[in-house]
Amino acid sequence: MTSSDHPTVSGSSQPLLHQKGEEIQEFGTVNQVPLGLSYDARLYACQRLNRVLADTSILYTLYKKHHWLMRGATFYQLHLLLDKHADEQLALVDALAERVQALGGVAVGDPRHVAEITSIPRPPDGVEEVPAMLSRLLAAHEAILIDARDAARRVAELGDDGTNDLLVSQVVRTGEAQVWFLAEHLVDVPLVRL
């Protein structure tokens, strides 16, 4: 008889291991919650938020990858900058997922599911040149910014001010600031002039 075969004793501190359960809410559905928003508005917002969430999750991992793979004379500065940006993107991932949940939806969370939903192209498995890595990050940001702005306008039309605020004040504003910092690293200005 193994330890898992013993019956549960009342008051026991033994964890109940290897539990399995049924899926109690399918992805792509929303539960009814008293938010003063229609079912259709909440469903639409969750669909749009999950797309932005998937892309933001990929952007976070791109930042971490490029942070690890930095090269050259500006290694230290870019290494730190990309890590800072990654932390900010991770905070957005959490904010987006929590908004989906607050609307009664199911946030995309499994990396394999994220990969199915994202619009961000997969990078090479190896190391690219630094300007190519920065350009890849900028392209991902632009895709997210375009989608987030469009989603913000549409959810505002449906009366979802909370989702609009999250998309504009956090996703768009953070993305715009990060784009500015990254793009400046691609300006071809020599450190000294002869």
Side-chain angles (χ1 to χ4, degrees):
M1 182 178 241
T2 66
S3 62
S4 63
D5 294 334
H6 289 288
T8 304
V9 178
S10 179
S12 170
S13 65
Q14 172 61 45
L16 301 175
L17 305 174
H18 310 294
Q19 296 189 45
K20 302 209 179 348
E22 294 180 24
E23 186 176 63
I24 59 173
Q25 183 180 354
E26 291 182 20
F27 182 80
T29 65
V30 291
N31 288 331
Q32 185 58 43
V33 287
L35 297 176
L37 290 170
S38 72
Y39 173 87
D40 289 338
R42 290 181 303 103
L43 181 63
Y44 180 77
C46 288
Q47 291 167 344
R48 295 302 301 266
L49 285 165
N50 269 320
R51 281 184 15 203
V52 175
L53 173 56
D55 288 347
T56 302
S57 296
I58 295 297
L59 180 57
Y60 163 74
T61 61
L62 281 176
Y63 265 116
K64 290 307 285 188
K65 175 182 178 165
H66 296 337
H67 154 81
W68 298 320
L69 301 180
M70 269 300 113
R71 304 284 196 270
T74 59
F75 164 82
Y76 184 71
Q77 293 84 355
L78 283 171
H79 182 75
L80 295 179
L81 177 66
L82 298 188
D83 205 31
K84 176 183 179 292
H85 283 194
D87 288 346
E88 293 167 355
Q89 289 298 317
L90 187 56
L92 291 177
V93 165
D94 196 50
L96 288 161
E98 288 180 355
R99 181 65 185 168
V100 171
Q101 295 301 129
L103 290 170
V106 178
V108 61
D110 186 288
R112 295 162 294 196
H113 193 188
V114 167
E116 293 171 2
I117 295 174
T118 189
S119 67
I120 308 299
R122 182 178 175 165
D125 291 336
V127 180
E128 295 177 283
E129 294 177 342
V130 171
M133 286 191 274
L134 297 179
S135 293
R136 183 175 298 285
L137 290 167
L138 288 168
H141 270 294
E142 186 173 32
I144 292 168
L145 288 167
I146 289 168
D147 192 33
R149 284 189 188 103
D150 180 66
R153 278 190 297 275
R154 292 176 186 253
V155 297
E157 291 168 1
L158 296 171
D160 187 351
D161 298 325
T163 298
N164 172 275
D165 179 58
L166 169 65
L167 290 167
V168 173
S169 66
Q170 293 184 49
V171 175
V172 170
R173 301 238 0 232
T174 299
E176 288 175 342
Q178 289 183 348
V179 164
W180 172 40
F181 275 78
L182 289 178
E184 290 301 320
H185 284 276
L186 293 175
V187 176
D188 187 19
V189 177
L191 295 175
V192 295
R193 296 212 183 262
L194 300 176

